[in-house]
Amino acid sequence: MAGAIASRMSFSSLKRKQPKTFTVRIVTMDAEMEFSCEVKKQILDEKIYCPPEASVLLASYAVQAKYGDYDPNVHKRGFLAQEELLPKRVINLYQMTPEMWEERITAWYAEHRGRARDEAEMEYLKIAQDLEMYGVNYFAIRNKKGTELLLGVDALGLHIYDPDNRLTPKISFPWNEIRNISYSDKEFTIKPLDKKIDVFKFNSSKLRVNKLILQLCIGNHDLFMRRRKADSLEVQQMKAQAREEKARKQMERQRLAREKQMREEAERTRDELERRLMQLKEEATMANEALMRSEETADLLAEKAQITEEEAKLLAQKAAEAEQEMQRIKATAIRTEEEKRLMEQKVLEAEMLALKMAEESERRAKEADQLKQDLQEARESERRAKQKLLEITSKSSYTSVNSSTTALPTDLPSFNLISESLSFDFKDTDMKRLSMEIEKEKVEYMEKSKHLQEQLNELKTEIEALKLKERETALDILHNENTSRGNSKHNTIKKLTLQSTQSRVAFFEEL
């Protein structure tokens, strides 16, 4: 055909051209990381719309993938200051400082403890794939009436969007309802699986756009059909190997976690023993000081008691001399009355002095007895201090023995995982088993999604008061409207596909 380029490709013919067996490419960790980085870049560049609360959750998984488990001693305030984790649209939408964003990201980051880097990357992609614009390639098209529309091609099928709303499709055609796609020049033709239904057509702007659309349709349809087929022998073997490798990594992580826990417990025990040993040493030092003070006090009391005894003996001697002097004076004859009066006065003074001497002697004797009693108590206190010191010394030696026996083990227990060759019966690969596996994965996914949605709603409610309404973009408003109606990416497409194919084709042509 001169001057015109025609190209046709049907999915049935594509299926016939494939060999019976095919090689499935294993996505390496580097390729997975590269893909995750590309998705992250598209979200940060706002090529994929992401609501604020989901942006914070995705940022927490990005931090887990980069920094590993959260450690408050290492990951201190400000460690995310230089990281680009949130779209600028989200940052400008709220009256929040970088420190406030970091606090909320870190709160979720701490909950991801124990996840390996590849697991964090996979969780990031699982959350990102539920975003409305994830994986959708948009192309400007026109229907028969010339209405400007957008064609979206993704893993679920073909979707028709309003140019001002890239979040919610107006019409959707799943891959399992499409039989044939072809184009001639700028006109694109889609044939439904039901041959009774009319084909619908649209025009694109350029020929090379049609080629790109066709290539995307072929690739996405091929993947769509491949996921719904029973796995081949080679794929089943690869999945078994992947499960075995996953189990091995899980056991390795558990072993490392146990070793880390044992090491931490041993370090805590060692620190506690060292602290106890220091405490016992301090008690021993204090006991030694108390003992020395008791010995000094005892020596002083003994010296004072000896001095008091000597003073008491001296006073007793003086009292005896006074008594002798009194007897001598009495025996002396007093011839005159004056002498007699003087002598009586001297006798009275001598008696008073003797009485005072006797009282002083008695007081000194009592003081000597008291000093003897204090000395006895000091010696008893000294004896108790020595006994306590002996007890503390025996305890410190016992603690030293224990601390040497509880030192860190040089050889922590290791676990050798012996991988035995597994044999599988690949004969039973019918669709019933496949559908059961899909249903099980679906239930697990729904449970995780419910918990995740609760977390997102909690964060959304928390930061709603800080939102600046005047800075909301058109996509923010559309997303909020969809959320208020209870619409999501998957249930919107599901609702659209419940309509008959004929009605959807008619609706497209009437747009």
Side-chain angles (χ1 to χ4, degrees):
M1 181 184 299
I5 300 176
S7 176
R8 295 179 180 274
M9 177 65 72
S10 66
F11 295 134
S12 57
S13 62
L14 177 64
K15 181 179 178 182
R16 288 195 298 271
K17 290 180 182 179
Q18 290 178 340
K20 292 183 179 179
T21 60
F22 59 90
T23 302
V24 178
R25 181 173 62 90
I26 300 176
V27 179
T28 63
M29 186 178 295
D30 291 338
E32 181 181 322
M33 178 182 174
E34 183 178 353
F35 178 64
S36 178
C37 290
E38 179 63 26
V39 174
K40 178 182 176 183
K41 185 176 184 301
Q42 290 185 2
I43 291 175
L44 293 178
D45 293 343
E46 301 181 27
K47 293 180 180 178
I48 298 177
Y49 174 80
C50 183
E53 59 275 11
S55 300
V56 175
L57 182 58
L58 290 175
S60 67
Y61 279 110
V63 174
Q64 176 71 20
K66 182 174 182 179
Y67 291 95
D69 287 344
Y70 173 69
D71 185 350
N73 297 324
V74 177
H75 306 120
K76 298 182 179 179
R77 183 184 295 273
F79 79 105
L80 298 178
Q82 304 300 322
E83 298 287 341
E84 185 181 3
L85 298 170
L86 299 173
K88 292 181 180 179
R89 171 186 56 81
V90 174
I91 296 174
N92 295 332
L93 187 57
Y94 293 88
Q95 289 180 317
M96 294 175 64
T97 62
E99 291 76 16
M100 295 170 70
W101 285 116
E102 180 180 322
E103 182 181 352
R104 281 155 178 80
I105 293 173
T106 306
W108 267 345
Y109 167 41
E111 294 183 6
H112 304 329
R113 184 177 182 84
R115 290 186 183 273
R117 180 178 182 178
D118 55 340
E119 290 179 340
E121 296 281 359
M122 186 59 66
E123 288 297 326
Y124 187 99
L125 294 176
K126 285 180 180 179
I127 297 170
Q129 73 179 358
D130 288 334
L131 301 176
E132 291 92 336
M133 295 175 63
Y134 174 83
V136 182
N137 293 279
Y138 297 94
F139 301 94
I141 60 171
R142 290 187 180 89
N143 62 2
K144 289 182 179 180
K145 289 186 174 183
T147 306
E148 296 284 346
L149 298 169
L150 287 178
L151 173 68
V153 183
D154 67 359
L156 301 177
L158 298 176
H159 316 287
I160 308 299
Y161 295 85
D162 189 289
D164 296 328
N165 184 358
R166 297 193 176 201
L167 300 182
T168 309
K170 287 182 171 293
I171 313 171
S172 289
F173 297 94
W175 292 120
N176 58 357
E177 294 184 4
I178 300 175
R179 174 169 54 91
N180 179 276
I181 295 179
S182 62
Y183 71 90
S184 176
D185 199 9
K186 296 181 181 180
E187 185 180 71
F188 222 96
T189 304
I190 299 178
K191 296 181 179 180
L193 190 64
D194 190 351
K195 295 182 179 180
K196 297 179 181 180
I197 301 174
D198 296 335
V199 300
F200 69 99
K201 300 179 181 181
F202 58 84
N203 294 320
S204 62
S205 57
K206 297 180 182 179
L207 175 62
R208 59 189 180 90
V209 174
N210 281 347
K211 291 182 179 180
L212 180 57
I213 293 173
L214 184 62
Q215 291 173 357
L216 285 172
C217 290
I218 293 172
N220 280 289
H221 180 270
D222 181 37
L223 292 175
F224 179 84
M225 298 306 295
R226 185 180 296 178
R227 288 196 302 269
R228 281 151 181 79
K229 289 181 181 179
D231 294 335
S232 65
L233 177 63
E234 186 176 357
V235 172
Q236 292 183 19
Q237 290 175 342
M238 292 171 64
K239 285 187 175 181
Q241 292 175 359
R243 285 193 295 269
E244 186 178 337
E245 179 67 15
K246 184 177 180 181
R248 187 189 66 78
K249 288 183 178 179
Q250 183 66 23
M251 293 187 68
E252 180 68 16
R253 283 195 294 271
Q254 292 176 355
R255 183 182 69 82
L256 292 175
R258 284 195 298 269
E259 291 180 358
K260 184 178 180 180
Q261 184 179 3
M262 290 174 62
R263 187 178 295 107
E264 290 176 350
E265 290 178 355
E267 289 176 353
R268 285 195 297 271
T269 304
R270 182 193 62 189
D271 294 341
E272 178 63 23
L273 289 173
E274 289 178 353
R275 187 189 64 78
R276 181 58 182 164
L277 182 61
M278 291 297 295
Q279 184 179 356
L280 290 174
K281 286 181 178 179
E282 291 177 359
E283 290 180 359
T285 304
M286 293 174 63
N288 277 327
E289 293 176 354
L291 178 60
M292 292 177 64
R293 286 195 298 271
S294 298
E295 290 177 351
E296 292 175 356
T297 304
D299 293 340
L300 289 173
L301 289 173
E303 184 179 351
K304 190 173 181 180
Q306 185 179 358
I307 293 171
T308 304
E309 287 180 356
E310 291 176 356
E311 289 179 351
K313 288 179 181 179
L314 182 60
L315 289 172
Q317 183 179 354
K318 286 183 178 181
E321 290 177 355
E323 182 68 24
Q324 290 177 2
E325 181 67 17
M326 185 181 64
Q327 293 297 331
R328 187 182 63 80
I329 291 172
K330 285 182 179 180
T332 304
I334 302 173
R335 297 189 177 264
T336 63
E337 190 66 27
E338 184 64 25
E339 289 178 353
K340 184 178 180 180
R341 187 180 62 80
L342 291 174
M343 288 304 296
E344 288 177 356
Q345 185 177 358
K346 286 183 178 180
V347 169
L348 182 59
E349 291 177 355
E351 287 179 353
M352 290 179 65
L353 180 61
L355 182 60
K356 288 182 180 180
M357 289 292 183
E359 291 177 354
E360 183 68 16
S361 176
E362 185 179 356
R363 188 180 66 79
R364 292 290 184 176
K366 289 181 180 181
E367 187 175 353
D369 292 339
Q370 182 65 34
L371 289 174
K372 287 180 181 180
Q373 185 177 355
D374 292 345
L375 178 61
Q376 186 66 27
E377 291 178 356
R379 286 175 178 171
E380 181 65 23
S381 175
E382 179 182 354
R383 184 185 64 78
R384 287 197 301 270
K386 287 182 179 180
Q387 184 177 359
K388 184 177 180 180
L389 180 61
L390 288 175
E391 291 176 357
I392 293 174
T393 306
S394 61
K395 285 183 181 178
S396 353
S397 60
Y398 178 74
T399 306
S400 302
V401 173
N402 286 344
S403 62
S404 63
T405 57
T406 56
L408 285 174
T410 55
D411 295 327
L412 292 171
S414 61
F415 298 86
N416 295 323
L417 179 63
I418 302 176
S419 302
E420 299 178 355
S421 59
L422 303 175
S423 60
F424 298 89
D425 185 7
F426 295 106
K427 295 180 180 180
D428 186 16
T429 58
D430 55 0
M431 293 304 294
K432 183 177 180 181
R433 182 179 60 82
L434 181 62
S435 62
M436 289 177 64
E437 291 180 0
I438 293 174
E439 187 65 26
K440 181 180 178 182
E441 292 178 0
K442 183 177 179 182
V443 171
E444 293 176 354
Y445 175 76
M446 291 299 291
E447 290 177 354
K448 291 180 65 178
S449 296
K450 184 178 179 182
H451 176 65
L452 182 62
Q453 193 61 42
E454 290 175 354
Q455 286 184 306
L456 293 175
N457 291 336
E458 183 179 349
L459 177 62
K460 183 178 180 181
T461 304
E462 181 182 351
I463 63 177
E464 186 67 24
L466 301 173
K467 182 187 288 187
L468 299 172
K469 295 289 186 179
E470 64 275 9
R471 294 185 182 178
E472 284 187 327
T473 63
L475 290 177
D476 287 323
I477 296 172
L478 289 171
H479 175 75
N480 292 335
E481 290 176 354
N482 288 340
T483 304
S484 62
R485 296 192 191 104
N487 293 336
S488 65
K489 176 180 180 179
H490 298 286
N491 64 21
T492 300
I493 295 175
K494 186 176 180 180
K495 289 177 183 177
L496 292 174
T497 53
L498 289 176
Q499 305 171 6
S500 66
T501 307
Q502 182 64 47
S503 63
R504 277 178 276 156
V505 172
F507 180 71
F508 171 73
E509 292 178 350
E510 292 296 328
L511 287 174

